Amino acid sequence: MAELQCLPPNIEPRVSDHIDQIKDMITKIIDNGHAYTLDGDVYFSVDSFPDYCRLSGRKLDDNRAGGGGRVSVDLRKQNPADFALWKSAKPGEPSWESPWGPGRPGWHIECSAMSSHYLSHAFDIHGGGKDLIFPHHENELAQSRAANSESNVNYWMHNGFVNKDNQKMSKSDDNFFTIQDIIAKYHPLALRFFLMRTHYRADVNYSDRQLDTASDRVFYIFQTLHDCAMALLRFCGENFQCRVLDETQKLINKFHTDFLASMSDDLHTTAVLDDLMDPLKAINSTVKDLKKSKGKRQQQLIQGLRALEEEVKDVLSILGLLPSSSSAEILRQLKEKALKRAGLSEEQVMQQIEQRALARKNKQFEISDVIRKELYAKGIALMDEPQGTVWRPCEPPEIQPEEHPETQPTKQS
C-alpha cells in the first residue's frame, strides 16, 4: 500500500478489542424491538425494519437466505432473511461472555459497532467492493439505524472488480495475481495510474498491455517534469515581475476548473488523467521555446513554466501520483522495470546501441533497423539525438495472433 502511495489509515481496529461495544449495540437493538434471542443466538428481525433493502434496492421476497445457498438456514428464525448479531459458542471457536451466553459476534455487527465508536453514528463516506452492497452493507445500515435512529452514511462508495483479460479473477482458473506480482515487473505508479484510468465504480480489466500503456504515460509525465526542472534550473532564485502569457494562463485556469469539476463528479479520475496531457504538452512546447527566447518573452515563458509545473504537481499530489522521490529517480526506476520486462541489462542495451551506430556508420542500414525493431519489440525505444543515441522505455507493439492454417485460403489449381 505504501508503494502505491496509499495513505495509512488513522485507526485499524480489531474486532476482538471491541467486544464490549458490540454487545452494547446488540443490547440497544434488542431494547428497540428490532432483534430477538434464540437459545444463545441473537437475530435481527428484518420485518421490524421497513427500510430494509433500501440501500441495495432489492425486494425482500427475492433474497435467498443462507448466503445464496452456501450456508444452511436456521429454521428457528422468524424470517429466513433474519441475520445473526450474536452466535452462541461452538466447540473450537473463540467466544466471549455476554448477556445471552458465551459466543461471538455476527459478521455484520462488528463493522457497525467499530465505525460508530470511532466516527460517531453519522459519518461521510463508507467504502467497499460492490459485492458487499448486499447483504453486508444492507445489514450494517439496518442494524446501525435500529440501534440509533440518527445513524447515517452520507456517501456509499462501492468499487468494481478487477478482471484479468476480460475474465473474473479466480484461483481455480489460474488467473489470480497479487499487487506484489505486478510491481515486480511494473512501477507502482504505473499500477496506480492504470487503476485510476477506470472509474472506481466500474470493473477494471487488467492486462499486461494495459500496464505497458500506463507505464509509458507515467514515464512521459515524469520525463516532462524532469525536462521542466532542468530548463528552470539556471533561473533558480530569479524573481521576475512580468505576467504569465495569456494563452498559458487560460490553459492553466481551464485545467484547474475542469479538474475540480471532474473530481466533484464522483471522483472522475479518468477525465482528469485525459486532461492532464494538455498542460504537459504545454510544458514541453514552452521548454523548446525557452531555448530560443530572450528578454521579456523569456521571462514570461519562465513564469509560465513555473505556473504550469506547480499546477501539474498539485494535481499529481492530490491523485497520489507524486512521490517524494525526484523525477530523475522515478525515471531511473521506470527504466529499471522496463529492462527487467525486456530481459536485458543496461550494458546489453548499450552494446546494441553501439552495434547499431557501427552498422549505420558502415551504411548497413538493414542491420541497424533490425536492432532498433528487436529492442522496440521488447519495450525499448532508441532516440537519435544530437549528443548521440539514448534509450527510453516504450509501449511494445501489440502481438497479433498467428493465423491458424485452416483459416488460410486454399490455393486454386
Side-chain angles (χ1 to χ4, degrees):
M1 290 297 101
E3 289 200 63
L4 291 179
Q5 303 299 309
C6 293
L7 298 176
N10 298 97
I11 306 164
E12 296 184 71
R14 295 176 177 271
V15 175
S16 54
D17 295 333
H18 297 79
I19 298 298
D20 289 341
Q21 288 85 352
I22 292 170
K23 290 188 289 188
D24 289 345
M25 179 170 274
I26 294 174
T27 299
K28 289 178 183 176
I29 296 172
I30 294 173
D31 291 345
N32 291 337
H34 294 291
Y36 56 93
T37 59
L38 274 176
D39 302 326
D41 295 330
V42 181
Y43 286 101
F44 184 91
S45 172
V46 297
D47 292 328
S48 73
F49 194 77
D51 283 342
Y52 189 67
C53 289
R54 173 184 168 188
L55 178 66
S56 61
R58 296 166 66 121
K59 292 182 180 180
L60 187 56
D61 292 342
D62 296 337
N63 296 331
R64 293 180 64 192
R70 289 178 288 112
V71 182
S72 59
V73 178
D74 190 337
L75 299 177
R76 301 172 303 158
K77 294 192 292 185
Q78 296 175 2
N79 185 317
D82 292 348
F83 56 90
L85 300 177
W86 187 264
K87 298 182 75 67
S88 58
K90 293 179 176 59
E93 291 185 355
S95 63
W96 293 263
E97 291 298 326
S98 79
W100 319 286
R104 61 175 176 83
W107 176 34
H108 316 289
I109 191 66
E110 49 203 42
C111 297
S112 292
M114 292 190 293
S115 62
S116 64
H117 177 69
Y118 290 104
L119 304 176
S120 81
H121 294 288
F123 54 94
D124 287 325
I125 298 172
H126 195 310
K130 65 181 182 180
D131 54 330
L132 297 181
I133 297 175
F134 188 90
H136 185 48
H137 289 165
E138 191 72 72
N139 293 353
E140 193 179 337
L141 179 62
Q143 65 199 9
S144 294
R145 287 189 173 168
N148 188 313
S149 59
E150 296 181 358
S151 178
N152 187 54
V153 173
N154 289 332
Y155 300 97
W156 290 87
M157 302 179 72
H158 294 105
N159 60 275
F161 298 136
V162 177
N163 299 325
K164 175 75 166 69
D165 295 325
N166 294 311
Q167 291 185 332
K168 185 177 178 181
M169 282 201 309
S170 69
K171 291 182 179 179
S172 60
D173 292 333
D174 197 27
N175 67 342
F176 181 85
F177 54 88
T178 66
I179 291 173
Q180 287 88 345
D181 294 334
I182 299 172
I183 63 177
K185 298 191 298 178
Y186 295 95
H187 197 287
L189 287 179
L191 176 55
R192 187 177 180 93
F193 185 96
F194 158 74
L195 292 171
M196 285 188 163
R197 284 289 299 139
T198 302
H199 191 268
Y200 76 90
R201 290 188 188 273
D203 290 351
V204 59
N205 185 48
Y206 175 90
S207 69
D208 287 347
R209 181 70 184 173
Q210 297 264 35
L211 259 292
D212 287 334
T213 302
S215 186
D216 191 61
R217 290 293 86 193
V218 170
F219 191 91
Y220 173 76
I221 290 170
F222 285 96
Q223 184 66 64
T224 300
L225 289 176
H226 179 70
D227 293 344
C228 178
M230 292 298 99
L232 291 173
L233 188 61
R234 63 192 180 103
F235 304 104
C236 183
E238 294 193 39
N239 187 19
F240 303 117
Q241 300 302 318
C242 59
R243 294 172 55 189
V244 174
L245 291 170
D246 287 344
E247 60 196 67
T248 302
Q249 192 59 56
K250 286 179 182 177
L251 187 151
I252 292 171
N253 292 344
K254 183 180 186 304
F255 175 65
H256 186 78
T257 301
D258 291 347
F259 167 72
L260 294 178
S262 296
M263 294 299 282
S264 298
D265 182 19
D266 197 16
L267 300 182
H268 198 348
T269 53
T270 308
V272 173
L273 293 177
D274 287 341
D275 293 342
L276 185 62
M277 294 303 112
D278 290 334
L280 290 172
K281 289 176 183 177
I283 288 175
N284 284 323
S285 62
T286 305
V287 168
K288 290 179 181 178
D289 289 346
L290 188 60
K291 294 176 182 178
K292 54 188 177 182
S293 299
K294 296 180 180 180
K296 182 179 179 181
R297 178 166 176 79
Q298 183 187 66
Q299 294 179 13
Q300 289 176 315
L301 292 175
I302 293 167
Q303 293 291 73
L305 262 187
R306 288 171 175 170
L308 284 165
E309 180 188 44
E310 181 180 8
E311 184 65 28
V312 168
K313 283 187 171 182
D314 281 348
V315 168
L316 290 176
S317 178
I318 291 169
L319 297 178
L321 290 170
L322 190 68
S324 57
S325 308
S326 66
S327 296
E329 175 60 18
I330 295 168
L331 292 172
R332 187 195 66 77
Q333 293 169 356
L334 285 161
K335 293 179 81 170
E336 192 176 79
K337 295 291 186 183
L339 289 171
K340 187 171 184 179
R341 293 194 298 274
L344 297 169
S345 66
E346 178 92 28
E347 292 74 20
Q348 288 173 320
V349 173
M350 297 311 296
Q351 288 173 6
Q352 295 275 62
I353 290 175
E354 290 173 8
Q355 290 174 14
R356 178 173 173 269
L358 182 61
R360 294 178 74 190
K361 183 179 179 181
N362 295 331
K363 300 189 184 301
Q364 296 173 312
F365 298 114
E366 287 187 8
I367 295 176
S368 69
D369 286 345
V370 167
I371 293 172
R372 177 193 283 273
K373 288 178 182 178
E374 287 180 348
L375 288 173
Y376 172 53
K378 295 180 179 182
I380 305 293
L382 300 184
M383 322 287 288
D384 294 321
E385 298 184 356
Q387 68 271 26
T389 302
V390 297
W391 74 273
R392 58 150 288 178
C394 71
E395 186 178 353
E398 191 165 7
I399 300 174
Q400 299 296 328
E402 292 185 12
E403 193 172 30
H404 196 276
E406 281 116 51
T407 65
Q408 297 177 355
T410 57
K411 187 177 180 180
Q412 299 294 323
S413 59

